[in-house]
């Protein structure tokens, strides 16, 4: 054999080995890979394609690629293929709409397809990488179902809390009224132990009434319409200070100050409740010094960010996860009164407006609550 023929045979053997290596790589891919020739017929598939579409490769090679396309879109598929070949470059197929492949048993499979042109001497071939979305679709449906069930459960729980709280008010008022009446009428007949028991009943009824009223407020935030309109936050804060005048008067030197604040789009009544809860929080937890609460605001193109800063006792970082949860009191009742719902209401109001809320605090030095409100889209 001449040197020429020996070199040619060696080169052919090398090319065949290289081609076999590429075929092995394609065959081992976890994604279905389909190579389609310029005439629209399948020239190569891998094992993942056989598993996905339930075909043997011998059944697919030589067939028009439309054999894997549902009949509802099969008639127009060749047009999409021609459009791709007129400007071949890598891209995802069918962006913005759902795609389906057709298995041998007639089942439609949700898929995602990436197209890559491969230039060959006989023309441009297209390598399609097909990803099975069946599991993702199942997970999305399960997640959507869970979300619906959770929303329905929350609505039912909210309705129960509203009705229960509303219906409890009247019998509770009756208990409190009759207990106070008994306390007055039997005043001379009660010993110290009896007076103490009566006082516990009255105080318990009062706490229960505060709790029910706060539960109703919390429930109303989720039930009532937002009624969004332009609201001057300066007027809101001034109104809140007027509402809290008694609490401020109990602390000589206590004051609430604020910078020039913007006009925002929000529910005015909810905004009053939000600022009242946050400002009162700073007044109540004042520590050894008169409360100093300051309201500021900064802006960016999309948000208003408000900051309510106080010089109070602060919040231990270990309580960060509990601060905005319902009924989460961080102090004993004999230290600071309250039901543990105020900050939960504040968070719910901010959530309903599409904002976020959080805080920064140094125990013994004070706390800064920050919340955002979105600006209207222009």
């Amino acid at each position: 054999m001449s040197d020429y023929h020996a070199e040619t045979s060696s080169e052919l053997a090398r090319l065949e080995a290289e081609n076999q290596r590429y075929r092995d790589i394609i065959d081992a891919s976890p994604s279905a890979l389909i190579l389609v020739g310029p005439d629209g017929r399948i020239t190569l598939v891998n094992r993942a394609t056989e598993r996905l579409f339930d075909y043997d490769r011998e059944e697919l090679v030589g067939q028009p690629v439309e054999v894997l396309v549902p009949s509802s879109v099969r008639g127009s598929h060749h047009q999409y293929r021609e459009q791709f070949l007129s400007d071949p470059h890598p891209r995802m197929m069918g962006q913005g709409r759902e795609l389906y492949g057709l298995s041998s048993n007639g089942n439609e499979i949700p898929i995602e397809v990436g197209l890559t042109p491969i230039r060959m001497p006989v023309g441009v071939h297209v390598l399609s990488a097909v990803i099975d979305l069946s599991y993702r679709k199942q997970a999305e449906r399960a997640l959507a179902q869970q979300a619906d069930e959770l929303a329905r459960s929350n609505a039912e729980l909210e309705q129960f809390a509203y009705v229960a709280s509303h219906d409890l008010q009247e019998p509770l008022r009756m208990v409190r009224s009759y207990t106070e009446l008994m306390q007055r009428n039997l005043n001379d007949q009660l010993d110290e132990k009896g007076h103490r028991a009566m006082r516990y009943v009255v105080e318990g009824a009062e706490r229960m009434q505060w709790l029910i009223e706060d539960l109703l407020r919390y429930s109303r935030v989720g039930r009532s319409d937002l009624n969004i309109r332009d609201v001057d936050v300066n007027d809101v804060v001034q109104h809140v200070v007027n509402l809290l005048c008694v609490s401020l008067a109990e602390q000589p030197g206590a004051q609430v100050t604020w910078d020039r604040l913007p006009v925002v789009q929000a529910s005015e009544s909810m905004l009053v409740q939000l600022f009242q809860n946050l400002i009162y929080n700073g007044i109540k937890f004042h520590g050894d010094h008169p409360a100093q609460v300051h309201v500021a605001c900064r802006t960016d193109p999309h948000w208003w960010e408000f900051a309510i800063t106080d010089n109070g006792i602060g919040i231990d970082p270990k309580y960060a996860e509990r601060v905005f949860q319902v009924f989460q009191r961080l102090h004993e009742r004999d230290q600071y009164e309250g039901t543990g719902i105020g900050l939960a209401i504040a968070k719910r109001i901010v959530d309903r407006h599409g904002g976020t809320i959080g805080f920064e605090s140094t125990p013994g030095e004070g706390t800064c609550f920050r919340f955002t409100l979105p600006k209207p889209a222009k």
Side-chain angles (χ1 to χ4, degrees):
M1 182 182 293
S2 66
D3 291 343
Y4 172 77
H5 288 102
E7 289 177 4
T8 301
S9 298
S10 176
E11 179 64 16
L12 289 174
R14 186 187 66 79
L15 290 175
E16 178 60 29
E18 188 171 332
N19 288 338
Q20 184 60 48
R21 185 164 63 89
Y22 288 138
R23 284 193 290 269
D24 290 342
I25 292 173
I26 289 174
D27 218 29
S29 171
S31 298
L33 297 177
I34 305 168
L35 188 65
V36 179
D39 59 355
R41 293 185 177 274
I42 298 170
T43 63
L44 177 69
V45 298
N46 65 350
R47 285 196 296 266
T49 303
E50 294 179 294
R51 290 193 299 269
L52 177 59
F53 293 100
D54 196 24
Y55 278 104
D56 291 331
R57 67 186 65 194
E58 291 79 10
E59 297 177 273
L60 291 175
V61 173
Q63 293 291 326
V65 70
E66 281 77 19
V67 73
L68 302 177
V69 177
S71 58
S72 58
V73 293
R74 187 176 298 163
S76 58
H77 185 265
H78 72 281
Q79 297 175 352
Y80 295 120
R81 182 161 47 79
E82 290 171 0
Q83 289 173 5
F84 177 79
L85 291 175
S86 67
D87 179 25
H89 62 273
R91 65 171 181 255
M92 297 302 295
M93 182 178 172
Q95 289 183 328
R97 62 190 181 92
E98 293 187 339
L99 294 179
Y100 292 88
L102 185 69
S103 69
S104 64
N105 58 16
N107 290 333
E108 293 190 4
I109 308 162
I111 57 174
E112 197 171 71
V113 182
L115 303 177
T116 303
I118 300 177
R119 300 185 186 278
M120 296 183 176
V122 294
V124 177
H125 286 57
V126 180
L127 181 64
S128 301
V130 184
I131 300 174
D132 184 3
L133 300 183
S134 299
Y135 293 114
R136 185 193 302 179
K137 293 292 183 182
Q138 291 172 6
E140 289 174 354
R141 286 193 294 270
L143 188 61
Q145 183 178 355
Q146 290 176 358
D148 289 342
E149 291 174 356
L150 182 60
R152 185 165 56 253
S153 176
N154 284 342
E156 292 171 354
L157 184 61
E158 191 174 283
Q159 176 69 13
F160 171 77
Y162 182 82
V163 172
S165 300
H166 187 273
D167 291 349
L168 279 172
Q169 286 195 97
E170 188 56 37
L172 186 61
R173 277 194 290 266
M174 185 182 300
V175 169
R176 183 176 175 182
S177 296
Y178 276 103
T179 303
E180 290 174 343
L181 180 63
M182 291 173 60
Q183 195 173 29
R184 287 195 301 270
N185 291 342
L186 301 175
N187 185 57
D188 296 336
Q189 303 176 37
L190 294 175
D191 56 14
E192 182 180 349
K193 187 176 181 180
H195 281 293
R196 187 166 60 250
M198 284 290 187
R199 186 170 68 252
Y200 288 159
V201 173
V202 173
E203 290 175 354
E206 288 176 346
R207 286 197 300 270
M208 181 64 74
Q209 191 159 8
W210 295 339
L211 180 61
I212 288 173
E213 289 171 355
D214 277 352
L215 271 174
L216 285 171
R217 292 189 188 99
Y218 183 81
S219 179
R220 289 189 188 108
V221 170
R223 294 166 57 86
S224 59
D225 295 332
L226 282 179
N227 190 22
I228 299 292
R229 65 184 186 85
D230 287 343
V231 180
D232 189 331
V233 184
N234 298 283
D235 295 339
V236 169
V237 174
Q238 182 62 69
H239 181 53
V240 168
V241 171
N242 294 339
L243 292 174
L244 298 175
C245 62
V246 174
S247 296
L248 288 168
E250 292 174 348
Q251 296 181 44
Q255 62 177 345
V256 178
T257 58
W258 59 96
D259 298 337
R260 183 66 189 170
L261 301 173
V263 173
V264 302
Q265 285 202 329
S267 163
E268 184 174 16
S269 61
M270 288 190 186
L271 213 56
V272 168
Q273 193 173 9
L274 172 60
F275 275 99
Q276 182 175 349
N277 286 355
L278 294 177
I279 291 173
Y280 178 65
N281 205 72
I283 295 172
K284 179 169 67 171
F285 298 104
H286 62 87
D288 297 329
H289 307 285
Q292 302 292 314
V293 181
H294 184 72
V295 182
C297 182
R298 66 180 184 180
T299 182
D300 71 18
H302 306 289
W303 301 91
W304 299 106
E305 183 186 77
F306 293 89
I308 295 88
T309 306
D310 64 58
N311 63 339
I313 62 175
I315 301 172
D316 192 311
K318 69 182 180 182
Y319 297 128
E321 298 297 323
R322 295 173 49 190
V323 165
F324 297 106
Q325 295 178 9
V326 179
F327 304 132
Q328 294 298 317
R329 293 178 52 87
L330 307 185
H331 305 278
E332 296 299 326
R333 189 172 285 106
D334 57 357
Q335 291 179 290
Y336 297 96
E337 64 179 19
T339 59
I341 299 180
L343 291 179
I345 292 174
K347 184 179 187 307
R348 198 169 206 198
I349 292 172
V350 173
D351 288 346
R352 284 213 63 189
H353 282 79
T356 60
I357 188 169
F359 73 94
E360 303 156 6
S361 184
T362 301
E365 296 182 15
T367 301
C368 177
F369 283 96
R370 299 183 186 276
F371 70 87
T372 61
L373 296 176
K375 291 183 176 180
K378 293 182 179 180

